[in-house]
Amino acid sequence: MATRPTIADIARELQISKAAVSYALNGQPGVGEQTRQRVLDVARNLGWQPSASARALGGFHTKVIGLALARPAQTVAIESFFIRFLVGVETALAKRDWSLLLRIIGDHPDQEVEVYRKWWGEGRIDGVILVDERHRDPRITAVDELGLPAVLCGGPRRDTTMPCLWTDQAADAETLTDYLAGLGHRRIAHIAGPREFAHERGRQRGMQRAAARHGLDLLSRSAAYDAAAAVQATRSLMADPTTAPTAIVYANDLNAVAGQRELENAGFTVPQDVSVISWDDSPLTEMVATPITALARETEAYGEQAATVLLDRIAGVDRGRVRVTPSDIVIRDSTGPARAAR
Amino acid sequence: MATRPTIADIARELQISKAAVSYALNGQPGVGEQTRQRVLDVARNLGWQPSASARALGGFHTKVIGLALARPAQTVAIESFFIRFLVGVETALAKRDWSLLLRIIGDHPDQEVEVYRKWWGEGRIDGVILVDERHRDPRITAVDELGLPAVLCGGPRRDTTMPCLWTDQAADAETLTDYLAGLGHRRIAHIAGPREFAHERGRQRGMQRAAARHGLDLLSRSAAYDAAAAVQATRSLMADPTTAPTAIVYANDLNAVAGQRELENAGFTVPQDVSVISWDDSPLTEMVATPITALARETEAYGEQAATVLLDRIAGVDRGRVRVTPSDIVIRDSTGPARAAR
């Protein structure tokens, strides 16, 4: 098997010292112009490339950013948010010829810090994208202490100065609630994701505020981002007809699709009996039997923006707090006037 | 901002030479046991890590494998094959503490070779996974010439000795065709993906052979892996009622879902008028109004196997040609007896 050509191969080929080859390749004095030209020719013929390792030791950029994702592999494979985010990140990186070092580590957020510490300590990356911000998030302090350039998809937070892409969750909650209130719904349910995530807390506060403003009853549940949890929460909400909501807002596309199916299996008609909304738009919400009304978040653009803010930060330009454009609602067949209002 | 701790920091802290620190950290002679212990203590306190760059220069593994994907970003974001494959790859890597260097480069397969050449030449990776094998695939020779360890998701081919995971496309084609023949279908259509992909050619040959064996009429079309192309191909197949098929086999989940929707929009009933099958199973095929019969390919397991074969190859163990288990069919509502057979 062939091996990577090295400076030693060039030196052997030309019968000169490795030091002379190195001088020639790095444009340093110490070799004549003729030798330099012969070295460059042989290097090209052998397919020699400057070593990233050697350049990194010399203080150059690795041109790699890191992303460790602490989510169960099964959820990553089914819900569309992450792959769309990733495609956006890659779009931004491709424009500047950078690459992404990726690790999916399951549901162990503490291991994310270890992966970042290692990648950074070993000189593999120049920065990281922090996703899935948590309420008490050990990564923020750890990454700040390491001096590792980062962008936070979340925030804003008082305990760090790293640039962040913050989404006004309350504004999105108002978009949803205004729409449901306009359809005459007086009793709505919010099936949120796990409360440890900062964005879920923000949404919950926004839903409460908007419901209070409209004088609506708000029922809240917290569920994992998977189909089984959504089915369970839906079943418990609808069990007592005297307290059942006329509209349910789900945290993501997978939950909304599974929840709606449970409603239909249980004999409810969507949207005549219950309206359904997803906080995430995707092909899943669009292609089910009753296409689902959803917040149209521009996930690819969000990923692209995250990578761009990070690359700018690495280049020494701090964009600070970048506010993400609030989402619009895409109205489909799963929402309609509340039964009592007709 | 803090910076990465170096050997110089340890040397300064202990007022000894950098060489002494290096000897101590690398377990070489030249320093006493007491000094070695103090160096290790200070290194731990400072959070020092051995540099991957330095280790790579010393001939150690980077513990990184590469994957460049030449597909349009939009397709990557919607069809489920790639993210499920990626999750499988990550599962295998996580077990051995390796990482993945990822690049999505759009529809430019020639650029894949350049990315691999660069990554390998710069010492960033120890091997690559080649996906989306093409009929004339420039990557095979290029990667062999570079001496870059690789696993081919495809094959078997005569022009390379690299290990491969080969799928018997003809066996999968027979599974589909036997099933449709058993339902009485005599006129079936195969909407394949782009013919440049080796797996599409293999499937096409398998479909032809199986159709000949059963004495069925086979109509073939080739379409891009996106919704618009599937709609277009479906429309053209169904335009003439005297030649329209009673069953259509689609190349992937996205095409099957879009094609079935086109059939229903055009007034055909699935499966009474036309049966629909997808060559790829996913949440999309399961969650549409008429859940779609599909080949249940174990995509996560396939990704995990690809990474494992590559890691073994890097470790010097060549698994050769690994045959992937043939797929089973998952029967759902989109297939039934052919109209004429009832």
Side-chain angles (χ1 to χ4, degrees):
Chain A
M1 188 179 85
T3 53
R4 230 172 297 185
T6 64
I7 285 182
D9 297 322
I10 303 172
R12 197 165 34 244
E13 175 101 9
L14 289 172
Q15 305 269 4
I16 60 176
S17 73
K18 283 195 285 181
V21 173
S22 175
Y23 295 154
L25 291 171
N26 292 306
Q28 291 170 311
V31 288
E33 194 44 49
Q34 207 183 343
T35 307
R36 188 188 310 283
Q37 200 50 58
R38 285 165 59 211
V39 167
L40 294 178
D41 289 346
V42 170
R44 197 166 30 243
N45 287 342
L46 291 176
W48 178 87
Q49 300 263 4
S51 155
S53 306
R55 284 195 292 111
L57 283 176
F60 293 91
H61 282 153
T62 63
K63 299 194 85 171
V64 175
I65 66 165
L67 176 56
L69 189 71
R71 286 200 196 183
Q74 278 309 318
T75 311
V76 173
I78 297 180
E79 72 158 15
S80 66
F81 179 87
F82 181 66
I83 182 70
R84 295 178 63 194
F85 181 82
L86 201 61
V87 162
V89 167
E90 290 283 345
T91 302
L93 294 183
K95 285 180 187 159
R96 306 197 200 178
D97 199 24
W98 282 56
S99 301
L100 177 74
L101 198 57
L102 179 69
R103 207 50 187 276
I104 299 177
I105 50 179
D107 206 0
H108 303 286
D110 47 315
Q111 288 181 15
E112 251 181 276
V113 170
E114 285 318 302
V115 169
Y116 289 149
R117 192 187 304 277
K118 213 169 158 194
W119 280 349
W120 176 240
E122 294 179 351
R124 293 178 186 277
I125 54 168
D126 292 322
V128 292
I129 297 179
L130 301 181
V131 294
D132 287 344
E133 183 197 4
R134 285 159 198 265
H135 175 56
R136 288 200 172 76
D137 199 317
R139 298 172 302 170
I140 311 286
T141 321
V143 163
D144 276 340
E145 279 178 8
L146 287 170
L148 169 57
V151 58
L152 173 65
C153 291
R157 301 173 67 109
R158 290 216 184 87
D159 59 351
T160 178
T161 58
M162 71 175 67
C164 71
L165 292 183
W166 80 278
T167 304
D168 187 344
Q169 304 289 346
D172 284 352
E174 281 188 48
T175 301
L176 298 177
T177 314
D178 288 353
Y179 169 67
L180 289 174
L183 288 170
H185 293 275
R186 310 294 306 156
R187 189 168 185 79
I188 64 176
H190 176 212
I191 301 191
R195 293 269 192 263
E196 69 215 68
F197 293 117
H199 70 269
E200 291 295 351
R201 293 183 173 229
R203 292 177 185 181
Q204 181 61 16
R205 279 194 302 272
M207 286 297 285
Q208 281 162 348
R209 221 175 297 158
R213 189 164 49 75
H214 286 286
L216 309 178
D217 285 340
L218 176 68
L219 307 165
S220 291
R221 294 280 186 284
S222 178
Y225 293 124
D226 62 44
V231 166
Q232 183 55 41
T234 304
R235 205 172 283 167
S236 105
L237 273 172
M238 303 305 295
D240 181 351
T242 63
T243 58
T246 62
I248 306 181
V249 177
Y250 289 91
N252 74 350
D253 53 345
L254 190 60
N255 280 17
V257 166
Q260 175 168 288
R261 177 182 272 194
E262 166 60 22
L263 287 169
E264 292 174 335
N265 287 345
F268 296 100
T269 308
V270 176
Q272 286 75 8
D273 297 323
V274 191
S275 285
V276 167
I277 295 188
S278 169
W279 213 294
D280 245 349
D281 195 20
S282 82
L284 278 185
T285 52
E286 200 179 346
M287 288 174 170
V288 286
T290 310
I292 298 174
T293 297
L295 266 186
R297 302 164 68 203
E298 301 192 353
T299 309
E300 284 95 339
Y302 183 63
E304 193 170 347
Q305 198 173 17
T308 303
V309 169
L310 177 58
L311 291 179
D312 286 349
R313 169 69 190 75
I314 292 167
V317 180
D318 189 341
R319 302 250 166 242
R321 294 177 178 181
V322 179
R323 185 167 163 180
V324 177
T325 317
S327 307
D328 289 323
I329 200 163
V330 181
I331 297 171
R332 300 204 182 94
D333 300 345
S334 70
T335 46
R339 192 172 269 293
R342 255 170 278 150
Chain B
M1 189 180 85
T3 53
R4 234 172 295 184
T6 64
I7 285 182
D9 297 322
I10 303 172
R12 195 163 37 243
E13 174 101 10
L14 288 172
Q15 305 269 2
I16 60 177
S17 72
K18 284 195 285 181
V21 173
S22 175
Y23 295 155
L25 291 172
N26 292 306
Q28 291 170 310
V31 287
E33 194 42 50
Q34 207 183 343
T35 305
R36 188 188 311 281
Q37 199 51 57
R38 283 165 59 211
V39 167
L40 294 178
D41 289 344
V42 169
R44 197 167 27 244
N45 287 341
L46 291 176
W48 178 87
Q49 301 262 3
S51 153
S53 306
R55 284 195 291 113
L57 283 176
F60 292 91
H61 284 152
T62 62
K63 299 194 84 170
V64 174
I65 66 166
L67 177 56
L69 189 71
R71 287 200 196 182
Q74 278 308 320
T75 311
V76 174
I78 296 179
E79 73 159 14
S80 66
F81 179 87
F82 180 65
I83 182 71
R84 295 178 63 193
F85 181 81
L86 201 62
V87 162
V89 167
E90 289 282 345
T91 302
L93 296 183
K95 286 181 187 158
R96 305 196 201 179
D97 199 24
W98 282 56
S99 301
L100 177 74
L101 198 57
L102 179 70
R103 207 52 187 276
I104 300 177
I105 50 180
D107 206 0
H108 305 285
D110 48 314
Q111 288 181 14
E112 252 181 276
V113 170
E114 285 318 300
V115 169
Y116 289 149
R117 192 186 305 277
K118 215 170 156 192
W119 280 349
W120 176 241
E122 294 179 350
R124 293 178 186 277
I125 53 168
D126 292 323
V128 292
I129 298 180
L130 301 180
V131 294
D132 287 343
E133 183 197 5
R134 285 159 199 266
H135 175 54
R136 288 199 172 77
D137 200 317
R139 298 172 302 169
I140 311 286
T141 320
V143 163
D144 276 341
E145 279 178 8
L146 287 170
L148 168 57
V151 58
L152 173 64
C153 292
R157 301 173 69 109
R158 291 215 184 88
D159 59 351
T160 178
T161 58
M162 72 175 67
C164 71
L165 292 183
W166 80 280
T167 304
D168 187 343
Q169 304 289 347
D172 284 351
E174 281 190 47
T175 301
L176 297 177
T177 314
D178 288 352
Y179 168 66
L180 288 175
L183 288 170
H185 293 275
R186 309 294 308 156
R187 188 167 186 80
I188 63 177
H190 176 213
I191 300 190
R195 293 268 192 262
E196 71 214 66
F197 293 116
H199 70 269
E200 292 294 352
R201 294 184 171 229
R203 291 178 185 181
Q204 182 61 14
R205 280 194 302 273
M207 287 295 286
Q208 280 162 347
R209 219 174 299 158
R213 189 164 50 75
H214 286 285
L216 310 178
D217 286 340
L218 176 68
L219 308 164
S220 290
R221 294 281 185 285
S222 177
Y225 293 123
D226 61 44
V231 166
Q232 183 53 42
T234 304
R235 205 172 282 167
S236 105
L237 274 172
M238 304 305 295
D240 181 351
T242 63
T243 59
T246 62
I248 306 181
V249 178
Y250 290 90
N252 74 350
D253 53 345
L254 190 59
N255 279 17
V257 166
Q260 174 168 289
R261 177 183 273 194
E262 166 60 21
L263 287 169
E264 292 175 335
N265 287 346
F268 297 100
T269 308
V270 176
Q272 284 76 7
D273 298 322
V274 192
S275 285
V276 168
I277 296 189
S278 169
W279 214 294
D280 244 350
D281 194 21
S282 80
L284 278 185
T285 52
E286 200 178 347
M287 287 174 171
V288 286
T290 310
I292 298 174
T293 297
L295 266 186
R297 302 164 67 205
E298 300 191 355
T299 308
E300 284 95 338
Y302 183 63
E304 192 170 346
Q305 198 173 16
T308 304
V309 169
L310 177 57
L311 292 180
D312 286 350
R313 168 72 190 73
I314 292 167
V317 179
D318 189 342
R319 303 248 165 244
R321 295 177 178 179
V322 179
R323 184 167 164 180
V324 177
T325 317
S327 307
D328 289 323
I329 201 164
V330 181
I331 297 172
R332 300 205 181 93
D333 300 346
S334 70
T335 45
R339 190 172 272 293
R342 256 169 277 150

